[in-house]
């Protein structure tokens, strides 16, 4: 269902997928995964390239699981880095607050970018012309890439098989008329109008059940539009699950202090939930255990 000039390296929920484009003796890639998976990213890319020269690395957006491996990829392959124009300054200045690194307790190695790409730009990858499309919501500066000839959408975290990425901007205190919920609906409306047969998401396998994916995404969005508290609870569960995927384990007694160290967690808790740190840790622990995301082994939370 994909052209021979395109290869998807499906990763997981800690590292985003890498999409490799073959261009004769050269190649390009979209997204580089998370920092702690950088060695695996390099090995996967080297195997996929099979002697080709990697010349360009594009990012769909600025979150750590998509840019975390950029520095390692550049050091290993000497490629150029092209980022969405909206994150130009925050990358150049390495603003860890704006990049949601320090607020979420995440990591990424600093890198320099060589160029930017914006909505309306076209780029040739793997012998196909791709249109850059602004997809704000999960990340207000994110881009997706669409090829109308093959009817393929590279969606990043704007559309998954069963939803989309956490709508952080809504929880960061943006005004209602510029918030993430409204932007997410506009993004889904924009993408739903495109001719799409295959979606390559930022996480999970490529899929052809496009209509069903949009239906699920709209349903999830509607549930968040009805309750900001529901969105807040979802975001905190995802945040902790991601942290545990990276760390693999965390003593239960350390969890309240860990949550207290994250400004995003504290802000969301104060605005929407009102737990003290111990109660918040207890609630999150119970929720993640119930979801099968972690297990409690003698007072230690272990990622499943």
């Amino acid at each position: 269902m994909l052209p021979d000039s395109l290869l998807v390296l499906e990763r997981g929920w800690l590292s985003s997928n890498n999409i490799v484009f073959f261009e004769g003796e050269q190649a390009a890639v979209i997204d580089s995964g998370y920092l702690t998976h950088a060695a695996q990213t390099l090995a996967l890319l080297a195997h996929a390239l099979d002697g080709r020269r990697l010349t360009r690395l594009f990012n769909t957006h600025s979150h750590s699981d998509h840019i975390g491996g950029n520095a390692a990829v550049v050091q290993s392959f000497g490629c150029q880095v092209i980022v969405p124009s909206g994150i130009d300054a925050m990358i150049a200045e390495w603003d860890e607050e704006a990049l949601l690194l320090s607020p979420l307790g995440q990591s990424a190695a600093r890198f320099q970018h060589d160029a930017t790409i914006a909505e309306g730009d076209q780029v040739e990858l793997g012998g196909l012309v791709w249109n850059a499309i602004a997809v704000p919501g999960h990340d207000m500066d994110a881009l997706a890439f669409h090829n109308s000839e093959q009817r393929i959408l590279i969606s990043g975290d704007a559309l998954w098989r069963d939803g989309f990425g956490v709508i952080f901007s809504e929880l960061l205190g943006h005004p209602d008329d510029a918030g993430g919920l409204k932007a997410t609906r506009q993004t889904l409306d924009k993408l739903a109008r495109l001719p799409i047969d295959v979606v390559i998401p930022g996480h999970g396998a490529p899929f052809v059940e496009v209509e069903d994916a949009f239906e699920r995404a709209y349903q999830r969005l509607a549930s968040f539009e009805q309750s900001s508290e529901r969105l807040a609870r979802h975001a905190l569960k995802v945040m902790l699950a991601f942290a545990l995927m990276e760390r693999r384990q965390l003593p239960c007694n350390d969890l309240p202090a860990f949550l207290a160290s994250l400004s995003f967690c504290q802000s969301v808790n104060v605005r929407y939930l009102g737990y003290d740190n111990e109660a918040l840790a207890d609630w999150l622990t119970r929720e993640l255990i119930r979801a099968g995301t972690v297990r409690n082994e003698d007072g230690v939370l272990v990622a499943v």
Side-chain angles (χ1 to χ4, degrees), residues 26-137:
Q26 298 181 350
V29 65
I30 290 180
D31 287 338
S32 65
Y34 194 63
L35 175 63
T36 55
H37 281 178
Q40 183 186 59
T41 300
L42 298 181
L44 289 169
L45 284 176
H47 183 266
L49 293 171
D50 192 25
R52 297 177 181 86
R53 184 166 68 91
L54 185 68
T55 60
R56 294 175 294 168
L57 164 61
F58 292 82
N59 290 123
T60 56
H61 61 289
S62 65
H63 292 163
S64 59
D65 53 329
H66 294 256
I67 67 168
N70 278 19
V73 171
V74 170
Q75 183 177 12
S76 182
F77 298 105
C79 59
Q80 291 189 322
V81 177
I82 301 95
V83 303
S85 59
I87 67 173
D88 184 9
M90 65 180 73
I91 293 294
E93 297 166 7
W94 202 247
D95 186 341
E96 295 200 354
E97 185 80 17
L99 293 169
L100 291 185
L101 295 174
S102 53
L104 296 176
Q106 296 177 11
S107 304
R110 186 170 186 171
F111 64 91
Q112 294 183 335
H113 63 289
D114 303 281
T116 62
I117 185 170
E119 179 173 41
D121 290 347
Q122 290 188 329
V123 60
E124 186 172 336
L125 296 165
L128 299 171
V129 176
W130 300 83
N131 294 305
I133 302 170
V135 287

Side-chain angles (χ1 to χ4, degrees), residues 4-38:
D4 292 339
S5 63
L6 192 160
L7 174 66
V8 178
L9 303 177
E10 184 185 348
R11 306 297 293 275
W13 293 102
L14 183 61
S15 280
S16 67
N17 294 337
N18 315 123
I19 302 103
V20 183
F21 302 86
F22 303 119
E23 304 168 334
E25 296 302 309
Q26 298 181 350
V29 65
I30 290 180
D31 287 338
S32 65
Y34 194 63
L35 175 63
T36 55
H37 281 178

Side-chain angles (χ1 to χ4, degrees), residues 133-137 140 176-193 214 218 221 225:
I133 302 170
V135 287
M140 298 302 281
D176 291 341
D177 61 352
L181 288 170
K182 180 180 178 180
T184 299
R185 181 165 290 278
Q186 292 172 339
T187 285
L188 292 177
D189 289 345
K190 181 192 298 185
L191 296 180
R193 290 192 293 266
F214 275 112
Y218 277 117
L221 176 59
E225 289 171 332

Side-chain angles (χ1 to χ4, degrees), residues 138-178:
H138 168 65
D139 182 298
M140 298 302 281
D141 300 301
L143 294 177
F145 297 89
H146 179 252
N147 174 260
S148 56
E149 177 186 354
Q150 297 287 331
R151 299 169 65 95
I152 302 172
L153 175 69
I154 298 172
S155 61
D157 289 348
L159 178 67
W160 297 337
R161 180 64 184 88
D162 190 21
F164 42 77
V166 173
I167 308 174
F168 288 109
S169 58
E170 190 72 22
L171 302 174
L172 290 169
H174 288 234
D176 291 341
D177 61 352

